[in-house]
Amino acid sequence: MTMILMGIFLIQKAAFPTTVLAAEENGMKIWVATDMHYLAPSLFKEDSGTFQRLLETNDGKVIEKMPEVMEEFTRKVIEEKPDAVLIPGDITMNGEMISLREMKAYFHQMQNAGVSVCVIPGNHDIDYFFAESYLTDEVIHVENISQEEFREEMQDFGIRDSVSADTESFSYLYKLTEDAYVLAIDTNTEQAPNRVKAETLQWMRKALRNLRLQNPKARVISMTHQNVLRASEVLYEGFQISNADEVLPVLKEYGVSWHFSGHSHLQHKSEQNGFTDYCNESMALYPISYAEAFWMTDDSLSYERVEVGVQKEFAKKRFLGRNEDMLSALLAGRGLTEDQIQAMIELAMELNLLTFTGEAYDPAEYSSRPAWTDWTKYASDSFWYDYLADMLSESHK
């Protein structure tokens, strides 16, 4: 699902062996990169009318720069060699088969360097109607990806060498070390989009129960595309797994404390009774980042957002430009002066940027501004007002 706001997975087995990590003394380094929304360069021309319209209607993604972003990210993976790279979905822009195959080549490069790569599909990757090319002034549909085709194309990255795999989805339990495992949960099957199937929930319980019986010391982290816990009290419908209330108890029953997700495109940490869901920002949005987590042998975890290091300023300009376009259209015709409109836009853009990047801020600094008074007086009927009010609520202190 594309964020409306801005302004707010059988090929022949690979020749290389799958890496099973030797346990480090204190833990391991895990990178999480999500929502790349990669569009194969052969599917667009930057000056075509259709591609320009695509840029004008999405949330500020740097679509045409993603090959450079993926080249640099792959280079960093090979150079720094994290123990594992987790990819929680939306690998492709809109489910184009050629885009998935080009991303597969990047994942193979990482894996050839001795890094475990674990993927799951996002909602944009499976049976997505809008798999299209943008070469002229007319959009042309291209080959998309079925659930089975995703399994065939992506089998090298987690599911083929898993210790347990679900037959109903692209869900699996993957061994990183003797005592450390990744539970990858598919929430985007053709039959149950944005939901964990009942059969998959049964498989999860069985796989985790068997693991506990075989190795009582085993610890597990998990990942989904959509969020288990809400990343926003306003933006959660369609972003949180629709049956999260069934998924969370299974994870907690078997001692899963740490979870990674994406989909919402914003950076957020949600906690509930000892369970933490790190929602990772889209790599296609400012500031072009991924997460680095250190998962220790005592099951503690440290987490930080790390910038890829390319196209940051370009991405910021596009993100804020989309913000400004939408806000200007919203506030026009409401009896406001140009100065008032500009101040309201600036407040909204600052808060939205902080929210998407997960940076700390003091809500009181913004709620005390005259511009917030104007938002309350002149635009309280808008979604933007509800979105901003959530950012300024007590929960963000």
Side-chain angles (χ1 to χ4, degrees):
M1 178 182 297
T2 301
M3 179 77 73
I4 301 301
L5 280 178
M6 288 65 83
I8 269 268
F9 265 137
L10 293 166
I11 61 173
Q12 294 298 313
K13 283 192 174 183
F16 50 87
T18 298
T19 300
V20 177
L21 305 176
E24 295 182 3
E25 182 178 352
N26 296 314
M28 65 187 68
K29 179 168 65 176
I30 296 173
W31 287 8
V32 186
T34 192
D35 292 82
M36 289 89 158
H37 288 282
Y38 180 91
L39 182 64
S42 62
L43 295 179
F44 68 91
K45 290 183 178 179
E46 291 187 38
D47 60 354
S48 72
T50 49
F51 186 71
Q52 289 303 311
R53 286 193 292 275
L54 177 65
L55 295 181
E56 292 167 1
T57 55
N58 78 86
D59 55 356
K61 301 181 195 73
V62 293
I63 301 168
E64 70 274 39
K65 306 298 184 182
M66 286 311 295
E68 180 185 351
V69 172
M70 282 308 303
E71 289 287 345
E72 179 61 14
F73 179 67
T74 301
R75 185 196 67 77
K76 292 186 72 172
V77 170
I78 293 170
E79 179 180 285
E80 299 188 32
K81 286 186 170 53
D83 296 305
V85 174
L86 307 185
I87 311 290
D90 276 3
I91 298 166
T92 65
M93 181 62 195
N94 284 320
E96 314 85 13
M97 178 62 80
I98 186 173
S99 299
L100 186 70
R101 288 174 174 160
E102 290 189 12
M103 288 294 283
K104 179 169 71 171
Y106 289 117
F107 299 155
H108 272 150
Q109 289 180 54
M110 300 175 197
Q111 206 165 53
N112 279 332
V115 177
S116 291
V117 178
C118 295
V119 309
I120 49 174
N123 59 299
H124 278 248
D125 298 320
I126 300 294
D127 193 30
Y128 205 66
F129 178 78
F130 297 103
E132 297 167 338
S133 67
Y134 309 89
L135 297 167
T136 65
D137 288 337
E138 181 180 353
V139 167
I140 299 173
H141 288 283
V142 299
E143 182 184 6
N144 69 358
I145 308 158
S146 70
Q147 181 176 328
E148 183 56 35
E149 287 169 334
F150 186 93
R151 192 181 189 97
E152 293 171 0
E153 294 293 332
M154 293 285 107
Q155 64 172 325
D156 288 342
F157 311 112
I159 200 167
R160 186 193 67 189
D161 296 296
S162 61
V163 298
S164 180
D166 181 30
T167 59
E168 295 292 324
S169 71
F170 200 84
S171 301
Y172 56 91
L173 183 64
Y174 184 86
K175 182 178 182 179
L176 292 172
T177 73
E178 287 303 315
D179 296 329
Y181 295 78
V182 175
L183 179 64
I185 308 167
D186 181 1
T187 55
N188 290 289
T189 60
E190 293 174 350
Q191 303 85 3
N194 194 29
R195 186 175 182 86
V196 179
K197 297 174 70 173
E199 298 88 346
T200 301
L201 284 168
Q202 293 175 3
W203 166 81
M204 286 170 56
R205 290 189 184 95
K206 183 178 179 180
L208 292 170
R209 181 172 61 249
N210 288 343
L211 178 61
R212 176 180 285 179
L213 290 171
Q214 293 164 12
N215 183 1
K217 296 190 299 182
R219 51 201 169 87
V220 180
I221 56 172
S222 54
M223 70 170 172
T224 54
H225 180 60
Q226 287 91 343
N227 315 132
V228 172
L229 301 180
R230 294 179 183 179
S232 166
E233 289 305 310
V234 175
L235 290 172
Y236 66 87
E237 291 189 14
F239 296 98
Q240 184 183 30
I241 300 168
S242 62
N243 62 334
D245 59 337
E246 297 178 284
V247 177
L248 182 58
V250 177
L251 297 176
K252 294 183 69 174
E253 179 182 355
Y254 290 96
V256 180
S257 299
W258 309 108
H259 185 83
F260 301 110
S261 62
H263 187 56
S264 299
H265 289 188
L266 50 80
Q267 190 75 33
H268 189 76
K269 175 184 177 182
S270 302
E271 299 175 280
Q272 184 182 111
N273 299 326
F275 180 87
T276 301
D277 185 346
Y278 286 102
C279 176
N280 298 270
E281 187 183 19
S282 167
M283 188 181 277
L285 289 167
Y286 173 84
I288 316 295
S289 64
Y290 58 95
E292 182 175 78
F294 289 92
W295 189 27
M296 313 310 286
T297 54
D298 64 358
D299 201 34
S300 62
L301 185 139
S302 65
Y303 174 103
E304 68 174 329
R305 181 173 55 78
V306 181
E307 294 175 8
V308 176
V310 295
Q311 297 297 336
K312 178 179 178 179
E313 291 307 311
F314 180 88
K316 184 176 184 178
K317 181 177 180 181
R318 175 163 292 173
F319 184 85
L320 293 178
R322 290 292 297 125
N323 277 229
E324 187 166 14
D325 290 345
M326 291 176 21
L327 289 161
S328 295
L330 169 67
L331 297 176
R334 292 177 179 262
L336 292 153
T337 68
E338 288 300 316
D339 287 345
Q340 285 177 303
I341 290 174
Q342 190 57 39
M344 292 169 71
I345 288 175
E346 288 177 2
L347 181 146
M349 288 168 60
E350 287 179 31
L351 276 174
N352 199 32
L353 197 64
L354 289 166
T355 297
F356 267 75
T357 57
E359 296 178 36
Y361 61 91
D362 179 6
E365 177 187 341
Y366 294 91
S367 60
S368 62
R369 292 186 188 180
W372 180 240
T373 302
D374 286 340
W375 268 104
T376 302
K377 181 177 180 180
Y378 293 99
S380 61
D381 61 338
S382 67
F383 178 82
W384 264 97
Y385 174 80
D386 293 339
Y387 178 58
L388 295 170
D390 178 59
M391 295 185 223
L392 296 178
S393 68
E394 290 291 318
S395 63
H396 287 274
K397 285 190 176 181

